[in-house]
Amino acid sequence: MGNRRRSKRASNRTEPLAMTRSPTDAPAVESRTADGLAGRCVRLGLVSVIVAGLIVGVVAWWNPPPDDANDRAPFAAPTIRLSKVPAEATTEELEKELIGISELLQRRFGELPEALHVAATVHAELRQTRKAEEIWRRCISLAPTNLAPRVALATIAMERGEDQAAIDALSDALAEGHSSPELHHHLATALSKVGRIEDAEQLLLGSLQKYEPVAENWRLLGQTQLQLEQLAEAETSLLRALELGDRSGELYLALTSVNSRLGKEPEAERYREEFRKRRAILPEDADQPFQVTYAAAMRRNLVNILGKAGAVFAHQGDMRQAEQLLLRAIELDPEHAEILRELARMLLDQRRVPDAWVVHRHLVELDPPNYLDCINLATVATELGDYDSVEQALRLAMDLRPQMALPYLGLARLYLDVGRFEEARWHANAAVRREPSLAAYAALAAACQELGDRDAADAARDAAKQLAAQYPSFEDPPLVPTLDPP
Amino acid sequence: MNLRRPLMMRSRKTLLPSCFMLALLLVVVPSRAESVLRMTDVTAESGIAFVHSHGGSGQGYIVEGVVGGLALFDYDRDGLIDIYFLNGAPLRGTEVDTLPRNALYRNNGDGTFTDVTVRAGVGDPGHGLAVTVGDYNNNGYPDLYISNFGPNVLYRNNGDGTFTEVTQEAGVGNGDRVGAGVSFLDIDGDGTLDLFASNYIDFTYENHVPLPMGQFLFQASPQYYRPEPDTLYRNNGDGTFSDVTESSGIGSVAGPGMGVVCFDYNGNGYTDILVGNDGAANFLYRNDGQGRFTEDALVAGLAYDFLGNRNSSMGVDCGDYDNDGHPDLIMTNFASEMPVLYRNLGEGFFVDATNAARLDVGLFPHVTWGTGFADFDNDGHRDLFIACGHFDPIEHVDDRTAFRVRNSLLHNRGDGTFEDVSLASGCGLAVVESSRGVGLDDLNNDGRVDAVVLNSNAAPTIIRNDSDQGHHWLQVQLRGVTANRDAVGARVRVVAGDLVQVAEVHSGRGYQSHYGSRLSFGLAKIPRVDRVEVRWPGGGVESFQDLAVDQLVVLTQGTGQAEE
């Protein structure tokens, strides 16, 4: 194996991951010595990764060791620590903290609707519905066009048995031009509950003309038609909900009822059996003492609210407070992946790459690990020049989704970069087998070239050209964004 | 809504001012038009001094919350409906000066009642949960059966104003369990009343689950305990009963049973059993006519509500609210669950008609308990009474409801829908307590159905019906000969012009209570009843022709003639 280009980076691989140097000690990443082909390979690989990331809809990208790495200042030491054990707290403490967040949001952002919305949610969760209503009304007066507080207000009105108030709030929103399947669902539910079943049906029929593939609204329409004794129509609507993937107990119960009444007892019995199966499933915490489930529910509420409040502060530019809130959420629930990801995003936005690395590392250590978290860790680790982490993260990604080309391509690219060309060729070939792409062929060509196998390199280039001809837009990919702010 | 608030905060001690304030508010706020229903709180002048005890003192025992019922029945056959209140016993950790006991109040016929508990010998000190009435020995005098936390109690009516406790000799003690709704019914049409006793859960002081909520201990839901199968006793005809729980099929399932009503749900002439379960699917025991039962609630559409929720059912009553000839059901439930109105489609199927009937959505946040169908204005359409109240100091953790809340009265519009008239029907519905069992009967023989409400840990509420629309009425008392003497399980069809109504004689209904042995029919402006058809339990239909209105008639099996 040609080790002529093996650099200091490669030597770091001998250390176990846990002992990998801290991002602080990361030496300035050497400038890549790759020739044009290798550079093209890398860029094409990056594009492939980005496209893959976009396809799955996550903010995951692959950053190559930057060309200007020598000019960069070394990264600072990570400043955050993440516990793996949930912090202890009594339900009283959790409740007090929830109230505290509401007060903080109201104090800091008393005129900001999204902040007030989170504050109101706190009180709704605590069944302090009058307080929640008061805050949501303030939200609505500040942002009359915002639908969320209106829907929330209507929801607590219904929970208080004040469905007419819910109807008024949602009807106003409708009259002002708001339109969404959710709005229609809530309004139809409220109309139905006060006995205005025909109105509910008409609303849903109109809604489903506009937003057809909404299973929940087909189910609600079917239930509404069932109440109106429109049995054939009800069956059609309920079956459409089933077709759209609704497998809820209430759908099966409605289908049971409509078929019984249509005299189709075999079908009714089939749906009844499906309903029985669903009702036989107990909640996961069914055998837990109340104190445990209650405390867990309170903790979940607080963690969610901390996450939402953190987002509000981040949006308002108070990153310090946002970080504190998210870190508190993680203290309470160290395995809350969404909040960990949000924190990582926030840290990357601030170019706190070592801290982001800590968070991403924590994410991939969750059980079970997530494929995209592995990709993200590889990205951040690349930025730090921590190729051990890169390699391990990509290998874990391969284990998790062996059919995906991306980790193979990433490793091919890594091995090219550190001069392990045989391994680079093997992984590039594996990437091509899984998903032929310009990037994969380019990596393969580069590896073959480095190994002196010109025929194979030419073959890979030809294949790349053929593919490029098929997908011309991929031929000249834009440069990949780096962690630098634009 | 704002109108309601000041009244809700008043206790019974300020009842008269409440009535005055309500009247004042009704005058000044035109949107609250006065209802045709006029219900007046007459507790103060009734002479009833009974104060209920739930037996707890903050320990959060589940058996503290599920008290208790009452019975309205004419124990001395003087033609006046008397009142029997259940009481709680001091639960572990509760100290009392005087041991609470159940109480029997004799109706004096002048709006007052006299406590005859001691003389009658019915002051059971057990933790009373449910009560029913039935003449199990067919001697012409109604007997009492009480389910307790602890052994149940059977009081045999001696016919001289006294009762004898015969639980042991009759063999109906039902072990040392947490009882629930109880009913007499004739399971096999043999002319004697058998006995159904629902059971709740396996609670003991040792397995008590307290729920700390701030400074309070709340009551755990029944799901923290093991549900118990219900019990069925067959009447041997000699004053004793045999436990046929297993052989009858009743023991094939177990659930946290609460309210019970026995009725013929599918019109086949056999009495079936409906049990509301607390936090579990309800049970409908279908009777094959021989006293063997199959649980069939899901097929009948009674196990769950419209959305498939297993509600925490509390009380249940039976009545044909839409006059289609099929008895419907109302079931009360826990907070954040609507009471559910099940409309009987005939042929054994029910639909959840809660929305279609426009039951007041304002009930949603509250725990609802005692309930019953009764035609309070005698317009020929049965209205609904629903008692409300929590068992925890819930207002500390949920501002939507409270331990004490107002009860609800829903007027039947006659088109299959109901209207909440609670705030517009007088001070009888302005009382704010934590109510449980409700009984609906004509206490003063004026042809109008009154109400008695047992309030947890408080005095009861006696509500006189002063509705006066000039409507006619007919009350029917059945006398079985080959059928059981009180004709429990009989179905009565009253035809008056275009108005046709159906009712059944029940033993045990609502929330752990008994009332309505004397059937009441409102006739609106119809001056004559064409006929009354009685389908007697055990078989046979008999018709009684051309009856005058505004009277109580006694229809004796086989005579064809009404006694006025």
Side-chain angles (χ1 to χ4, degrees):
Chain A
M1 179 170 176
N3 283 340
R4 61 190 167 91
R5 293 176 55 217
R6 189 163 181 143
S7 65
K8 281 188 285 185
R9 279 170 284 161
S11 67
N12 289 331
R13 288 174 56 253
T14 56
E15 299 167 17
L17 183 64
M19 299 298 290
T20 342
R21 69 219 183 302
S22 137
T24 23
D25 322 329
V29 179
E30 287 182 9
S31 174
R32 282 177 301 158
T33 56
D35 58 17
L37 182 61
R40 181 177 172 78
C41 161
V42 167
R43 286 186 175 82
L44 290 173
L46 296 175
V47 171
S48 174
V49 170
I50 289 166
V51 170
L54 289 174
I55 288 168
V56 294
V58 295
V59 186
W61 70 94
W62 182 267
N63 291 291
D67 292 335
D68 60 348
N70 281 335
D71 303 330
R72 282 199 187 164
F75 288 107
T79 57
I80 62 170
R81 290 179 191 280
L82 300 178
S83 169
K84 291 183 179 175
V85 180
E88 289 187 5
T90 64
T91 49
E92 289 76 16
E93 288 166 345
L94 297 169
E95 183 175 339
K96 200 172 167 187
E97 201 171 337
L98 269 168
I99 297 286
I101 294 168
S102 166
E103 288 168 354
L104 174 67
L105 287 164
Q106 290 180 78
R107 192 168 60 246
R108 287 285 305 277
F109 306 116
E111 302 297 312
L112 187 68
E114 55 262 42
L116 295 177
H117 182 60
V118 177
T121 305
V122 167
H123 296 284
E125 295 282 0
L126 293 173
R127 294 279 192 222
Q128 299 169 355
T129 63
R130 300 287 163 196
K131 181 70 178 171
E133 178 185 354
E134 177 195 319
I135 301 173
W136 266 319
R137 288 204 181 282
R138 194 140 46 97
C139 274
I140 293 169
S141 69
L142 289 166
T145 58
N146 194 347
L147 186 57
R150 289 168 185 257
V151 171
L153 194 62
T155 302
I156 56 163
M158 283 194 270
E159 286 176 0
R160 287 205 303 247
E162 296 166 5
D163 290 63
Q164 189 54 52
I167 291 167
D168 293 345
L170 297 174
S171 299
D172 286 350
L174 206 59
E176 288 162 17
H178 290 288
S179 177
S180 74
E182 186 196 20
L183 172 63
H184 299 147
H185 188 92
H186 279 87
L187 183 51
T189 301
L191 287 166
S192 183
K193 282 177 71 183
V194 299
R196 291 171 58 186
I197 303 171
E198 292 87 352
D199 293 339
E201 185 201 20
Q202 288 308 310
L203 177 70
L204 287 166
L205 285 169
S207 177
L208 286 163
Q209 277 189 348
K210 194 171 178 183
Y211 310 105
E212 201 280 333
V214 181
E216 285 185 347
N217 282 353
W218 280 109
R219 182 183 70 221
L220 185 58
L221 176 63
Q223 291 169 324
T224 305
Q225 290 163 330
L226 187 53
Q227 291 183 83
L228 291 169
E229 311 280 325
Q230 299 169 4
L231 301 182
E233 292 87 345
E235 185 186 25
T236 303
S237 302
L238 295 168
L239 287 174
R240 178 66 182 133
L242 192 67
E243 196 176 275
L244 287 167
D246 188 348
R247 297 291 183 271
S248 63
E250 63 181 283
L251 176 68
Y252 283 114
L253 186 67
L255 280 164
T256 302
S257 181
V258 79
N259 278 282
S260 276
R261 293 170 66 183
L262 287 167
K264 301 196 291 193
E265 192 46 39
E267 287 87 346
E269 184 49 37
R270 188 158 50 87
Y271 293 126
R272 196 175 289 128
E273 193 48 42
E274 291 293 335
F275 175 78
R276 281 196 192 101
K277 280 185 209 163
R278 277 150 186 82
R279 278 294 167 271
I281 298 168
L282 292 172
E284 282 178 16
D285 57 2
D287 57 350
Q288 291 288 322
F290 170 81
Q291 287 89 335
V292 174
T293 54
Y294 182 65
M298 187 69 83
R299 184 176 287 253
R300 273 196 304 276
N301 281 344
L302 177 56
V303 168
N304 288 335
I305 290 294
L306 283 163
K308 287 175 183 169
V312 169
F313 276 95
H315 195 241
Q316 295 305 306
D318 187 344
M319 309 310 277
R320 190 172 162 199
Q321 182 68 62
E323 183 180 330
Q324 274 181 16
L325 291 164
L326 296 183
L327 284 171
R328 174 60 180 153
I330 295 162
E331 260 178 41
L332 292 165
D333 184 359
E335 298 191 355
H336 199 298
E338 280 309 309
I339 289 183
L340 284 162
R341 288 180 194 125
E342 180 60 34
L343 177 62
R345 269 193 290 269
M346 206 173 77
L347 294 168
L348 284 174
D349 284 346
Q350 298 173 74
R351 281 213 43 77
R352 291 168 56 188
V353 183
D355 286 335
W357 178 87
V358 170
V359 179
H360 278 301
R361 171 78 182 277
H362 187 94
L363 270 165
V364 298
E365 287 171 1
L366 298 182
D367 187 20
N370 175 287
Y371 169 80
L372 291 168
D373 289 331
C374 296
I375 300 296
N376 281 328
L377 174 61
T379 305
V380 174
T382 300
E383 181 72 5
L384 292 171
D386 177 5
Y387 287 176
D388 291 328
S389 289
V390 175
E391 185 178 17
Q392 293 203 16
L394 291 175
R395 289 209 174 277
L396 183 56
M398 282 161 54
D399 288 346
L400 292 170
R401 305 271 289 272
Q403 76 283 14
M404 298 297 285
L406 187 58
Y408 290 92
L409 184 53
L411 277 173
R413 176 228 169 276
L414 176 68
Y415 293 139
L416 270 177
D417 198 49
V418 298
R420 292 161 61 181
F421 301 118
E422 199 64 64
E423 288 163 274
R425 179 163 67 176
W426 189 90
H427 285 88
N429 262 322
V432 165
R433 280 199 301 277
R434 281 161 180 78
E435 186 186 358
S437 66
L438 290 180
Y441 282 123
L444 181 58
C448 293
Q449 185 78 30
E450 293 287 353
L451 291 167
D453 187 350
R454 293 192 175 181
D455 290 345
D458 288 343
R461 280 191 207 96
D462 288 345
K465 280 177 192 165
Q466 282 177 19
L467 200 62
Q470 284 178 286
Y471 303 102
S473 60
F474 280 13
E475 200 162 16
D476 291 303
L479 286 177
V480 177
T482 69
L483 293 179
D484 294 319
Chain B
M1 199 62 203
N2 291 335
L3 288 181
R4 204 192 280 186
R5 285 285 144 192
L7 293 170
M8 286 177 70
M9 298 307 292
R10 292 180 188 278
S11 71
R12 281 199 62 258
K13 290 175 184 169
T14 56
L15 197 59
L16 290 176
S18 294
C19 286
F20 174 74
M21 285 296 293
L22 180 68
L24 189 66
L25 289 166
L26 291 172
V27 168
V28 297
V29 183
S31 62
R32 293 288 182 192
E34 196 169 288
S35 163
V36 295
L37 303 183
R38 305 301 305 157
M39 309 298 281
T40 307
D41 181 352
V42 294
T43 314
E45 53 263 44
S46 71
I48 292 175
F50 174 80
V51 177
H52 177 265
S53 165
H54 60 41
S57 48
Q59 303 92 338
Y61 298 127
I62 191 168
V63 291
E64 172 188 322
V66 294
V67 290
L70 59 87
L72 303 184
F73 70 122
D74 182 7
Y75 83 98
D76 54 0
R77 287 180 51 185
D78 65 351
L80 295 163
I81 302 291
D82 311 296
I83 307 174
Y84 186 70
F85 294 109
L86 294 185
N87 212 339
L91 301 172
R92 182 179 287 177
T94 299
E95 294 180 1
V96 293
D97 294 330
T98 308
L99 194 63
R101 290 176 176 276
N102 300 343
L104 178 63
Y105 280 86
R106 183 175 181 275
N107 189 338
N108 301 321
D110 59 358
T112 67
F113 294 78
T114 301
D115 186 343
V116 295
T117 312
V118 174
R119 181 177 180 274
V122 289
D124 179 55
H127 190 71
L129 299 173
V131 57
T132 193
V133 172
D135 184 3
Y136 79 93
N137 54 2
N138 284 333
N139 72 348
Y141 289 91
D143 311 296
L144 273 173
Y145 185 71
I146 298 150
S147 83
N148 285 324
F149 166 43
N152 292 354
V153 172
L154 176 63
Y155 285 117
R156 187 184 64 212
N157 192 330
N158 301 320
D160 60 358
T162 68
F163 291 76
T164 302
E165 204 249 276
V166 294
T167 314
Q168 202 157 4
E169 70 179 67
V172 290
N174 198 31
D176 191 5
R177 308 163 93 165
V178 182
V182 283
S183 285
F184 285 107
L185 74 159
D186 185 357
I187 60 172
D188 48 9
D190 68 352
T192 60
L193 285 176
D194 310 293
L195 179 58
F196 178 84
S198 184
N199 297 304
Y200 192 41
I201 48 164
D202 71 340
F203 168 82
T204 63
Y205 289 119
E206 285 65 42
N207 68 7
H208 166 50
V209 179
L211 305 184
M213 296 284 279
Q215 69 207 69
F216 304 101
L217 288 180
F218 277 35
Q219 293 169 32
S221 77
Q223 279 62 53
Y224 287 94
Y225 305 94
R226 187 169 52 80
E228 292 271 19
D230 301 319
T231 305
L232 183 64
Y233 295 106
R234 186 189 295 273
N235 192 331
N236 300 323
D238 59 359
T240 67
F241 291 79
S242 298
D243 187 334
V244 294
T245 304
E246 293 307 321
S247 60
S248 64
I250 292 293
S252 63
V253 288
M258 292 291 274
V260 172
V261 70
C262 298
F263 73 117
D264 179 10
Y265 85 97
N266 52 3
N268 67 356
Y270 308 132
T271 303
D272 311 292
I273 305 168
L274 190 282
V275 181
N277 282 318
D278 188 355
N282 302 315
F283 292 156
L284 174 66
Y285 298 107
R286 176 165 44 83
N287 189 349
D288 72 352
Q290 305 300 309
R292 284 184 296 274
F293 294 84
T294 305
E295 202 288 299
D296 217 8
L298 180 55
V299 172
L302 292 171
Y304 303 91
D305 72 5
F306 186 65
L307 298 177
N309 296 313
R310 4 169 139 75
N311 287 332
S312 298
S313 299
M314 303 297 179
V316 57
D317 192 32
C318 180
D320 182 11
Y321 80 95
D322 55 358
N323 287 342
D324 66 352
H326 306 298
D328 310 297
L329 289 168
I330 177 74
M331 298 191 77
T332 50
N333 289 311
F334 193 59
S336 296
E337 298 171 349
M338 278 295 287
V340 178
L341 179 67
Y342 292 100
R343 186 162 68 85
N344 190 338
L345 301 174
E347 299 178 354
F349 291 114
F350 290 76
V351 289
D352 178 344
T354 311
N355 293 344
R358 304 194 176 189
L359 256 59
D360 176 31
V361 290
L363 289 161
F364 181 75
H366 307 307
V367 186
T368 50
W369 302 88
T371 189
F373 290 102
D375 185 358
F376 291 106
D377 57 347
N378 285 328
D379 65 351
H381 304 286
R382 287 178 178 81
D383 312 300
L384 267 173
F385 192 104
I386 295 177
C388 305
H390 214 283
F391 40 75
D392 290 318
I394 189 72
E395 55 272 27
H396 293 278
V397 296
D398 185 343
D399 69 2
R400 300 173 306 148
T401 186
F403 177 74
R404 293 181 178 82
V405 291
R406 194 178 43 72
N407 296 325
S408 276
L409 183 59
L410 309 181
H411 181 236
N412 189 331
R413 292 189 181 98
D415 60 356
T417 69
F418 292 85
E419 177 186 16
D420 178 14
V421 295
S422 314
L423 289 172
S425 54
C427 59
L429 270 295
V431 176
V432 177
E433 286 292 354
S434 187
S435 300
R436 295 293 187 275
V438 169
L440 306 173
D441 248 321
D442 181 4
L443 297 177
N444 53 2
N445 289 342
D446 65 353
R448 292 172 289 198
V449 176
D450 309 295
V452 180
V453 183
L454 184 138
N455 298 314
S456 177
N457 233 31
T461 309
I462 315 299
I463 301 173
R464 188 181 64 218
N465 184 350
D466 292 331
S467 309
D468 189 7
Q469 302 297 303
H471 289 157
H472 298 297
W473 52 273
L474 180 73
Q475 292 179 354
V476 176
Q477 181 83 55
L478 299 181
R479 287 281 172 265
V481 175
T482 58
N484 69 84
R485 192 176 186 284
D486 289 338
V488 173
R491 181 173 288 192
V492 174
R493 185 166 178 263
V494 172
V495 180
D498 293 337
L499 182 61
V500 180
Q501 297 176 72
V502 164
E504 287 190 14
V505 180
H506 306 288
S507 160
R509 63 199 295 191
Y511 182 68
Q512 325 298 47
S513 296
H514 173 90
Y515 57 90
S517 295
R518 184 190 288 176
L519 303 178
S520 291
F521 298 90
L523 299 169
K525 299 290 186 184
I526 301 171
R528 198 86 192 160
V529 171
D530 300 321
R531 65 182 179 281
V532 176
E533 297 165 1
V534 181
R535 191 190 69 191
W536 297 98
V541 177
E542 192 170 359
S543 186
F544 299 83
Q545 304 287 332
D546 194 23
L547 303 173
V549 297
D550 302 334
Q551 63 165 341
L552 166 67
V553 294
V554 178
L555 308 181
T556 303
Q557 186 178 17
T559 64
Q561 293 293 317
E563 293 173 46
E564 299 181 357

